[in-house]
Amino acid sequence: MSEKIRNVIIIGSGPAGLTACIYAARANLSPLCIEGFSAGGLIPGGQLMFTTEVENYPGFVEPITGPELMARFRGQAERQGTELVTADVDKVDLSARPFKVWADGQLYLAKTIIVSTGARANYIGLENEEKLKNRGVSACAVCDGPLFKGRNVVVVGGGDTAMEEATYLAGLCPSVTLVHRRDEFRASKVMVDRARNNPRITMKLSHAVVDVLDASLGKVTTVMLKDLKSGEVYAQACEGLFVAIGHTPLTELFRGQLDVHENGYLKVKPGTTSTNVPGVFAAGDVSDWVYRQAVTAAGTGCMAALEAERWLAANDPH
Ligand code: NAP
């Protein structure tokens, strides 16, 4: 085979992938990053490309926009010596070394791989929800909640994330309406009780959000709720809609090759980024459904690069 064998290929270019690039480049590993098109979108850079202001990434006294933050990650990765390829990976073969990665019809070979393909937030699927994303519709209370301080908001979902987001938002907003499609919650009892006992949270069970208005004004003014038992549809005024109906990890490429948890997230050995395949590491949201923050993703990206470097030193000392 005539293709060059790379020390490390990093798949994905969110905070995890680009931090792995920075560390791998500084360790003289000449990393190749296949950026991918963000979480189902049209641009590289991960989920932060779809957020507005980021106020919780350490080091920035003033808020920075998601795209600007990712441009800085990317610039730093490139400046340190990362080669970036803007393409989606189509296929991988991790059954033998060197590992094989195909992107845009091109085959790339690597001694180690860092998977940082991330996850995609699930949305309800309403036309106006799409139009009002980042204009009042959000899938991350920790990221966007402070922008809704003093305003009334609606949270959709019945899992731990919905409980956590509703409770978090209740610390900022005078009223939070939690809308869930069933009478029972999927969330753990302790988190449901915490939300139930919060006087600022009202629960609407067996309800669905069937529309969000007002796309013509470019902001959220109202959600249309449907009582799933009576069939009644009515309007509720609010300025923010937080959709907390789960995330989908982007792991399809690795199905049958890397071990996954029941919920589809990649398995790593506790306290490490090592997958079940020696030389393949996973970082960021693709293996984390609990913290899901840019800063934690960046932290595990750093870990993955350090582990890849150590793995190469032990297994491929040339
Ligand atoms: P989840 O447990 O999958 O819950 C998703 C919720 O969204 C469910 O209540 C589901 O309703 C609802 N839903 C799904 N699709 C919907 C749709 N199209 N329209 C309306 N509602 C819809 O997801 P999650 O809450 O994000 O939690 C993911 C994992 O992270 C879980 O394992 C959770 O325990 C964990 N987590 C843990 C913590 C913590 O411990 N601090 C915090 C957050 C998350 P149904 O119930 O009817 O299916």
Side-chain angles (χ1 to χ4, degrees):
M1 227 177 282
S2 61
E3 281 87 1
K4 176 172 161 187
I5 302 179
R6 319 260 173 172
N7 290 313
V8 55
I9 290 181
I10 292 146
I11 305 176
S13 60
L18 291 173
T19 302
C21 291
I22 293 165
Y23 275 78
R26 289 177 58 76
N28 257 343
L29 298 179
S30 310
L32 173 76
C33 177
I34 304 180
E35 295 185 286
F37 295 104
S38 301
L42 297 171
I43 38 172
Q47 293 182 75
L48 277 183
M49 298 306 283
F50 307 113
T51 63
T52 48
E53 304 227 299
V54 179
E55 291 180 330
N56 56 7
Y57 198 85
F60 295 89
V61 177
E62 299 301 325
I64 181 165
T65 68
E68 169 63 16
L69 181 59
M70 292 323 298
R72 294 193 188 200
F73 269 76
R74 192 176 188 273
Q76 191 177 358
E78 215 167 11
R79 184 171 174 273
Q80 298 291 344
T82 304
E83 186 184 340
L84 293 150
V85 172
T86 309
D88 267 335
V89 170
D90 309 311
K91 199 168 90 169
V92 299
D93 179 356
L94 309 177
S95 63
R97 290 200 290 269
F99 302 122
K100 299 189 186 74
V101 178
W102 287 266
D104 253 358
Q106 170 91 33
L107 169 64
Y108 300 91
L109 303 176
K111 296 173 187 171
T112 65
I113 289 190
I114 296 174
V115 178
S116 46
T117 45
R120 178 175 42 223
N122 297 337
Y123 283 90
I124 305 166
L126 306 168
E127 201 180 323
N128 285 326
E129 177 191 41
E130 183 62 33
K131 291 182 184 158
L132 290 167
K133 269 186 199 167
N134 289 325
R135 296 190 159 92
V137 173
S138 167
C140 179
V142 177
C143 323
D144 298 330
L147 307 173
F148 292 85
K149 199 169 177 180
R151 296 157 195 249
N152 297 330
V153 298
V154 168
V155 175
V156 193
D160 282 334
T161 302
M163 299 306 136
E164 198 168 62
E165 302 227 325
T167 305
Y168 176 79
L169 288 164
L172 301 164
C173 305
S175 115
V176 178
T177 305
L178 182 86
V179 176
H180 178 40
R181 63 186 179 184
R182 291 189 296 139
D183 272 345
E184 277 160 29
F185 288 113
R186 185 177 294 274
S188 53
K189 189 178 175 307
V190 56
M191 293 183 76
V192 174
D193 287 348
R194 193 172 304 147
R196 268 213 175 103
N197 293 333
N198 191 314
R200 289 186 174 186
I201 299 176
T202 307
M203 297 196 172
K204 298 218 168 180
L205 303 184
S206 288
H207 270 68
V209 173
V210 291
D211 203 355
V212 49
L213 311 173
D214 186 336
S216 67
L217 297 177
K219 63 177 184 179
V220 171
T221 60
T222 309
V223 290
M224 298 304 297
L225 297 180
K226 182 174 185 180
D227 180 329
L228 297 172
K229 286 189 174 158
S230 68
E232 185 196 356
V233 174
Y234 57 97
Q236 169 151 343
C238 72
E239 292 181 71
L241 172 64
F242 287 84
V243 183
I245 61 173
H247 282 72
T248 303
L250 300 172
T251 53
E252 218 144 82
L253 276 175
F254 310 100
R255 208 150 285 167
Q257 304 194 61
L258 294 180
D259 288 349
V260 294
H261 290 277
E262 241 170 49
N263 60 9
Y265 286 78
L266 292 186
K267 267 190 184 169
V268 290
K269 294 192 184 100
T272 78
T273 62
S274 304
T275 69
N276 57 304
V277 176
V280 179
F281 305 89
D285 287 12
V286 74
S287 54
D288 167 27
W289 63 91
V290 178
Y291 301 105
R292 295 195 308 242
Q293 300 301 301
V295 67
T296 49
T300 54
C302 161
M303 286 166 64
L306 295 176
E307 286 177 54
E309 185 190 353
R310 283 173 200 158
W311 190 92
L312 284 165
N315 295 281
D316 183 74
H318 307 296

